[in-house]
Amino acid sequence: VFYPSAHGNKELKLINNYSNIGTYWEKANQNEIDIVAFNDLDKKALIAEVKINPKKIDLEILKQKAKKLEKELNTYKCEYLGFSLNDM
C-alpha cells in the first residue's frame, strides 16, 4: 500500500521532479519502505530507506523488500538509494 505524504519532500520534488512522494508497506507492516517517489511523466521511481547509522544501509535488502512494489511499477525505471543523518 502506497501512502502519499501530506508534505512530501520538497527537495526531492524540486530536484527530480517527483509528482508523488510517500511511504510503502505491505499487510502486517511487512516490507516497510521509508521513501517511495514517482515521476509519472518520465516513468521513474525512487525507492529509498533512511537509517540513523549509514553502515546499516543495505540496498540488497531494500531490493528484496521492494520486490512486490517493483512488480506493480513494471513500466517504471526504479532507482534504489539509502539515506542517513549525514545526508540530511
Side-chain angles (χ1 to χ4, degrees), residues 25-72:
W25 66 83
E26 296 166 11
K27 290 181 182 178
N29 289 336
Q30 289 186 307
N31 296 324
E32 183 178 339
I33 299 173
D34 299 319
I35 300 172
V36 178
F38 304 103
N39 178 319
D40 293 322
L41 184 62
D42 295 333
K43 296 292 186 189
K44 67 179 182 176
L46 170 70
I47 300 171
E49 69 176 356
V50 180
K51 300 284 187 190
I52 293 172
N53 182 346
K55 293 178 182 176
K56 293 191 176 191
I57 295 170
D58 188 330
L59 296 183
E60 290 306 314
I61 291 174
L62 178 61
K63 288 177 183 178
Q64 289 299 315
K65 289 173 26 176
K67 282 220 181 265
K68 186 175 179 181
L69 176 61
E70 195 173 89
K71 285 181 184 177
E72 294 175 28

Side-chain angles (χ1 to χ4, degrees), residues 3-10 13 21-23:
Y3 291 95
S5 171
H7 304 101
N9 182 311
K10 291 179 186 176
K13 283 186 177 182
I21 299 174
T23 60

